[in-house]
Amino acid sequence: MFPTNVFENRRILVGICGCIAAYKSCYLIRQLVTAGAQVRVMLSKSGAEFITPLTLETLSNHPVYTDMFPKNQFTATHHIELADWAEAAIIAPATANALGKAANGIADDFFSTVISALHCPTVYAPAMNTHMWENPAVKRNVDFLKENGALICNPEAGFLAEGYEGVGRLARLDYQLQYLYRACHPARDSLVGKTALISAGPTQEFLDPVRMLTNLSSGKMGYALAWEAFARGAEVVLVSGPTNLERPVDITNVAATSAADFASAVERHFPKCDIYISAAAIADYTPANVADSKIKKGKDGLTMQLRRTTDVLKMIGAKKTAEQKLIGFAVETDNPLENARKKLKRKHLDMIVLNNPHIEGAAFRSDTNFVTLLSAKQEIELEKMYKLDVAREIFNFLLDSDES
Ligand code: CTP
């Protein structure tokens, strides 16, 4: 997960049903506690067959809720107090039984009673056998919950506990956290109905089949922007160079390798987008000739001819309509503000994010960044913060200047 301050002190309820994937909820709780959240755990009766309350209590630093009428613990209305306490909830794993009860308003035990009383954004991460997942009644229940505002992390395909392959495995942790980030987001619906096109990561320009020119971009800033746009309800198209990051889910992922790939992918998707954020570190030069086979070494040095690539952002700047917003990044080592202001104008941008790579904590691969946001009307220097929090500030800045 991207480190962020969004979970800090947030009250998050984790509900665990009876399913072999129940053990995976330990990792979710650990991540949330590490991110500073206050976590309460409720465990269904069948869930307690798979994982012990003691494990969950230790991880969440709080007694675990299991019974409707516990002796000498909690109050008589603790099911309602727990539902009222939660600012966001995640039911992971969610069984067909729990989904069915939630969709039909059945409250016949502690677990389903709390779910029926929840009034906060709620994520369900179903996990079950393929045939159960494909059951029309389960589909109907999931669709009903979705139509009524629930966030659903669809199960993934893979090896099931039954010994065969199929769809039904609990969504991976990053997937659950992407949805929980949306559930906890203070401006959750601020981009509903909008499409955000984001470029991220490095390019690779090949000299021969085994060698290339590339750069140090990790893609973290661009991926954080994709998470952020998703959390705000946008349709997201992420054009990414080669990175080691998990691709975000339920967005359109487009793979690009070279500057030419970025140019054609961005040009293809741009007409339908409302916002284009160019966070990729796209090469300005590429080898003029690419050898078909590996270049053998000779006695002397090697001189290589490079040619300019397309400046994708500039190309898009010339095409954009008045309604489309364009955000560029600038890495400047000399006269940073002056150069960023020039770039803002020259590339017809609505906003530019200025990075100074020499400042500690703003390095290419770091989890943090230290940037200045500039538009024609405003300039704000942000303090050093996590890239996901920088992404939130970028959208806040864009949406605020839209209103003013
Ligand atoms: N960019 C692009 N296509 C390129 C090179 C860069 O779209 N071929 C985009 C980057 O994604 C970034 C912005 O342009 O958003 C600025 O990149 P930067 O390298 O800082 O500046 P340049 O405009 O390339 O100018 P210079 O290198 O001369 O500073």
Side-chain angles (χ1 to χ4, degrees), residues 199-201 203 259 262-263 266 276-285 308-316 327-333 339 343 346-347 349 352-353 355:
S199 72
T203 45
F262 272 96
V266 170
Y276 171 47
I277 311 183
S278 184
I282 302 175
D284 291 321
Y285 295 93
R308 280 292 312 269
T309 56
T310 305
D311 186 326
V312 184
L313 189 55
K314 198 167 162 203
M315 167 182 83
I316 294 299
I327 304 178
F329 275 71
V331 179
E332 303 288 349
T333 48
N339 281 333
K343 218 171 263 180
R346 194 171 67 240
K347 294 197 179 185
L349 307 180
I352 195 155
V353 182
N355 261 307

Side-chain angles (χ1 to χ4, degrees), residues 15-19 22-23 25 41-56 64-67 93 111:
I16 303 166
C17 300
C19 167
Y23 75 93
S25 55
V41 180
M42 65 171 182
L43 187 60
S44 75
K45 271 216 157 45
S46 320
E49 299 288 331
F50 287 90
I51 187 163
T52 69
L54 181 62
T55 305
L56 302 167
V64 171
Y65 296 80
T66 47
D67 295 327
F111 199 88

Side-chain angles (χ1 to χ4, degrees), residues 150-225:
L151 301 166
I152 309 290
C153 285
N154 284 314
E156 297 180 353
F159 192 74
L160 303 172
E162 294 79 354
Y164 52 85
E165 303 261 329
V167 176
R169 286 169 63 91
L170 180 68
R172 60 174 206 256
L173 185 56
D174 238 46
Y175 188 165
Q176 295 175 41
L177 289 163
Q178 186 184 324
Y179 270 89
L180 207 47
Y181 184 69
R182 172 152 166 67
C184 288
H185 201 289
R188 197 168 45 255
D189 293 328
S190 55
L191 288 177
V192 168
K194 303 281 185 204
T195 299
L197 171 63
I198 294 158
S199 72
T203 45
Q204 295 178 343
E205 305 294 330
F206 281 83
L207 336 173
D208 70 13
V210 293
R211 301 185 182 96
M212 65 191 170
L213 301 176
T214 187
N215 58 62
L216 287 178
S217 169
S218 64
K220 284 181 185 171
M221 192 62 239
Y223 278 56
L225 284 158

Side-chain angles (χ1 to χ4, degrees), residues 6-295:
V6 157
F7 294 121
E8 234 165 72
N9 285 321
R10 302 301 292 276
R11 301 186 302 271
I12 299 173
L13 173 64
V14 177
I16 303 166
C17 300
C19 167
I20 180 61
Y23 75 93
K24 294 182 182 170
S25 55
C26 294
Y27 299 100
L28 172 66
I29 296 164
R30 169 53 63 91
Q31 280 264 1
L32 292 173
V33 169
T34 309
Q38 295 180 50
V39 178
R40 300 286 180 271
V41 180
M42 65 171 182
L43 187 60
S44 75
K45 271 216 157 45
S46 320
E49 299 288 331
F50 287 90
I51 187 163
T52 69
L54 181 62
T55 305
L56 302 167
E57 198 170 308
T58 311
L59 288 169
S60 66
N61 303 314
H62 197 273
V64 171
Y65 296 80
T66 47
D67 295 327
M68 194 69 186
F69 306 106
K71 288 192 183 69
N72 309 325
Q73 211 187 7
F74 309 121
T75 64
T77 55
H78 71 299
H79 54 302
I80 302 299
E81 279 158 23
L82 187 58
D84 283 347
W85 173 88
E87 287 180 279
I90 178 163
I91 313 301
T95 53
N97 183 43
L99 293 164
K101 286 186 187 176
N104 291 284
I106 296 170
D108 64 351
D109 57 12
F110 180 75
F111 199 88
S112 54
T113 306
V114 173
I115 290 182
S116 72
L118 283 174
H119 48 90
C120 61
T122 302
V123 179
Y124 291 88
M128 61 195 76
N129 172 270
T130 297
H131 305 300
M132 293 173 78
W133 177 243
E134 286 167 355
N135 182 321
V138 174
K139 277 203 166 113
R140 181 196 56 207
N141 291 334
V142 170
D143 289 346
F144 178 84
L145 290 169
K146 213 172 179 172
E147 280 156 25
N148 285 278
L151 301 166
I152 309 290
C153 285
N154 284 314
E156 297 180 353
F159 192 74
L160 303 172
E162 294 79 354
Y164 52 85
E165 303 261 329
V167 176
R169 286 169 63 91
L170 180 68
R172 60 174 206 256
L173 185 56
D174 238 46
Y175 188 165
Q176 295 175 41
L177 289 163
Q178 186 184 324
Y179 270 89
L180 207 47
Y181 184 69
R182 172 152 166 67
C184 288
H185 201 289
R188 197 168 45 255
D189 293 328
S190 55
L191 288 177
V192 168
K194 303 281 185 204
T195 299
L197 171 63
I198 294 158
S199 72
T203 45
Q204 295 178 343
E205 305 294 330
F206 281 83
L207 336 173
D208 70 13
V210 293
R211 301 185 182 96
M212 65 191 170
L213 301 176
T214 187
N215 58 62
L216 287 178
S217 169
S218 64
K220 284 181 185 171
M221 192 62 239
Y223 278 56
L225 284 158
W227 262 50
E228 181 64 25
F230 174 84
R232 289 170 181 257
E235 293 285 321
V236 181
V237 181
L238 176 65
V239 182
S240 170
T243 75
N244 293 324
L245 303 172
E246 295 266 22
R247 295 283 162 113
V249 285
D250 295 342
I251 66 162
T252 305
N253 280 296
V254 182
T257 305
S258 63
D261 293 341
F262 272 96
S264 61
V266 170
E267 195 173 23
R268 190 167 72 248
H269 289 279
F270 182 68
K272 285 200 191 130
C273 84
D274 301 282
I275 303 165
Y276 171 47
I277 311 183
S278 184
I282 302 175
D284 291 321
Y285 295 93
T286 189
N289 299 300
V290 183
D292 289 334
S293 46
K294 188 181 163 204
I295 301 169

